[in-house]
Amino acid sequence: SQTIHQWPATLVQPVGSPLSLECTVEGTSNPNLYWYRQAAGRGLQLLFYSVGIGQISSEVPQNLSASRPQDRQFILSSKKLLLSDSGFYLCAWSEGVSPHFGNGTRLTVT
Amino acid sequence: ILNVEQSPQSLHVQEGDSTNFTCSFPSSNFYALHWYRWETAKSPEALFVMTLNGDEKKKGRISATLNTKEGYSYLYIKGSQPEDSATYLCAFCDVSGTYKYIFGTGTRLKVLA
């Protein structure tokens, strides 16, 4: 069966520091991969999605970037965090039906 | 930019009450509409995938309907229980083939014992 791992679960980082959140999927090949963010009091906003290795689509202009160095690995990064980057980040995968989510990362930028 | 709206934003009901909430989405280029249940500190759990106009799905006390011509879906909970307390999200997917899932802002349900 397929599983998705996302880490870390919580992270506190100072403004201006770099960020790297990692997500890996097991039990499937060539999945679609997604990064979502929930800012305080808001719904899930799609940040990036990927349909294959090296193929990244960005949905909103922002301070973040994503990479897919391997088929089942999706990384969310920032060179310099802003206060507004605080939020709950969710990675998800799908094979064209419902996305399946990781447990999320709570990021607090101080 | 695809716009998916949910209402109400939050809802308090008494145990045993039935309730419903709405998801509005673009009526053109429809591919699928998903409903999720999201409890705090957990990952969203898929409830329904709906693809055909007039679809009606049911899972226990929870059911959903779909109207793709007018661009809305209703989620119903019959006889709400405290364990139903969660945020209910809908997600729209269009026919562009990119499998982008655009989520609404969610309806936060609190069932009071």
Side-chain angles (χ1 to χ4, degrees):
Chain A
S1 65
Q2 302 91 350
T3 54
I4 179 168
H5 304 279
Q6 185 182 341
W7 68 93
T10 59
L11 192 58
V12 181
Q13 292 282 99
V15 167
S17 63
L19 172 75
S20 180
L21 303 181
E22 191 161 340
C23 174
T24 59
V25 181
E26 295 175 359
T28 184
S29 58
N30 198 32
N32 297 323
L33 296 172
Y34 309 85
W35 278 110
Y36 286 88
R37 175 174 63 195
Q38 183 196 33
R42 301 175 68 179
L44 284 179
Q45 181 184 39
L46 178 61
L47 301 176
F48 300 95
Y49 68 97
S50 170
V51 298
I53 295 175
Q55 299 178 63
I56 310 292
S57 296
S58 173
E59 285 299 295
V60 292
Q62 59 201 305
N63 184 42
L64 302 167
S65 61
S67 62
R68 185 170 178 173
Q70 299 180 48
D71 181 42
R72 290 168 289 176
Q73 184 185 29
F74 206 23
I75 298 171
L76 185 70
S77 305
S78 173
K79 290 181 180 175
K80 287 185 180 182
L81 283 168
L82 306 172
L83 284 173
S84 56
D85 292 324
S86 292
F88 189 68
Y89 290 82
L90 279 166
C91 178
W93 73 273
S94 84
E95 291 176 322
V97 192
S98 299
H100 303 273
F101 289 88
N103 287 329
T105 297
R106 171 76 58 195
L107 172 66
T108 304
V109 183
T110 59
Chain B
I1 296 177
L2 297 173
N3 208 24
V4 179
E5 306 272 352
Q6 287 186 249
S7 62
Q9 273 194 324
S10 66
L11 192 57
H12 286 64
V13 301
Q14 291 294 325
E15 182 175 359
D17 286 352
S18 294
T19 187
N20 65 84
F21 12 97
T22 308
C23 172
S24 301
F25 52 85
S27 56
S28 56
N29 301 321
F30 176 86
Y31 180 71
L33 192 283
H34 303 253
W35 279 101
Y36 284 82
R37 179 172 180 276
W38 191 14
E39 290 182 72
T40 303
K42 295 185 179 179
S43 56
E45 171 199 351
L47 290 174
F48 304 115
V49 181
M50 310 182 81
T51 55
L52 298 175
N53 185 43
D55 247 359
E56 191 165 336
K57 299 264 174 117
K58 190 174 180 184
K59 187 176 181 178
R61 293 179 291 98
I62 304 177
S63 59
T65 60
L66 179 69
N67 183 324
T68 60
K69 294 188 186 307
E70 294 182 40
Y72 63 84
S73 175
Y74 293 135
L75 188 81
Y76 301 90
I77 302 180
K78 188 177 176 182
S80 303
Q81 299 296 307
E83 57 265 29
D84 295 329
S85 299
T87 296
Y88 291 83
L89 296 165
C90 66
F92 168 81
C93 187
D94 68 11
V95 296
S96 64
T98 55
Y99 296 111
K100 282 193 308 185
Y101 299 90
I102 305 300
F103 281 81
T105 50
T107 293
R108 197 164 34 248
L109 174 67
K110 177 77 174 173
V111 182
L112 306 169

